[in-house]
């Protein structure tokens, strides 16, 4: 039988935390799969934390280019990455979400200083 923790001693259930993390990851993947099935597409760019004005301008230019497509439903991330969720076409004359992601991905590749990771996924 395990000893009771002393007053003020932290008790941490590592196995429980790992189960919660795994459940959250599964739910996120299911959510992405459901949106993808509905025609949404994702593009994630891991650009790192901008360390100078040039890097900050590149990240800003990418974000502006993505939003200029008028098909970005959401953009999320932190200071070192950005994920764009692209909506499906709502009119026959609009390009498909895959075409819009192609366009944003090309812009990301043009702006990439050499170390960005660019992938078609929300994860």
């Amino acid at each position: 039988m395990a000893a009771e923790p002393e007053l003020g001693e932290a008790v941490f259930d590592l196995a429980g935390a790992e189960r919660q993390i795994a459940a959250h990851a599964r739910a996120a993947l299911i959510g992405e799969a459901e949106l993808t099935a509905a025609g949404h597409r994702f593009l994630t760019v891991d650009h790192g934390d901008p360390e100078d004005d040039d890097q900050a301008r590149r990240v800003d230019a990418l974000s502006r280019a993505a939003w200029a497509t008028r098909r970005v439903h959401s953009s999320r991330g932190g200071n070192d990455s950005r994920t764009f969720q692209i909506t499906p076409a709502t009119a026959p004359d609009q390009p498909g979400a895959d075409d819009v992601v192609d366009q944003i991905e090309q812009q990301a590749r043009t702006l990439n200083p050499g170390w960005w990771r660019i992938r078609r996924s929300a994860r």
Side-chain angles (χ1 to χ4, degrees), residues 2 32 72 80 110 119:
E32 182 179 344
V72 174
D80 62 352
T110 299
R119 62 189 187 284

Side-chain angles (χ1 to χ4, degrees), residues 35-121:
L35 286 167
T36 299
H40 292 253
R41 298 295 181 263
F42 299 88
L43 183 74
T44 296
V45 179
D46 296 317
H47 49 70
D49 192 9
E51 295 179 2
D52 58 33
D53 289 342
D54 177 61
Q55 292 175 18
R57 278 191 295 272
R58 289 171 188 269
V59 172
D60 186 55
L62 172 64
S63 187
R64 283 194 324 271
W67 283 99
T69 66
R70 302 180 60 98
R71 295 283 294 285
V72 174
H73 173 74
S74 67
S75 171
R76 67 178 186 272
N79 59 336
D80 62 352
S81 71
R82 181 69 33 207
T83 297
F84 302 100
Q85 179 183 340
I86 311 304
T87 60
T90 57
D93 61 333
Q94 287 184 327
D98 289 316
D99 295 329
V100 175
V101 169
D102 287 345
Q103 178 183 347
I104 300 168
E105 182 179 13
Q106 181 56 48
Q107 187 67 31
R109 294 195 184 290
T110 299
L111 292 165
N112 183 359
W115 60 82
W116 290 3
R117 273 189 36 209
I118 303 164
R119 62 189 187 284
R120 290 176 175 246
S121 173

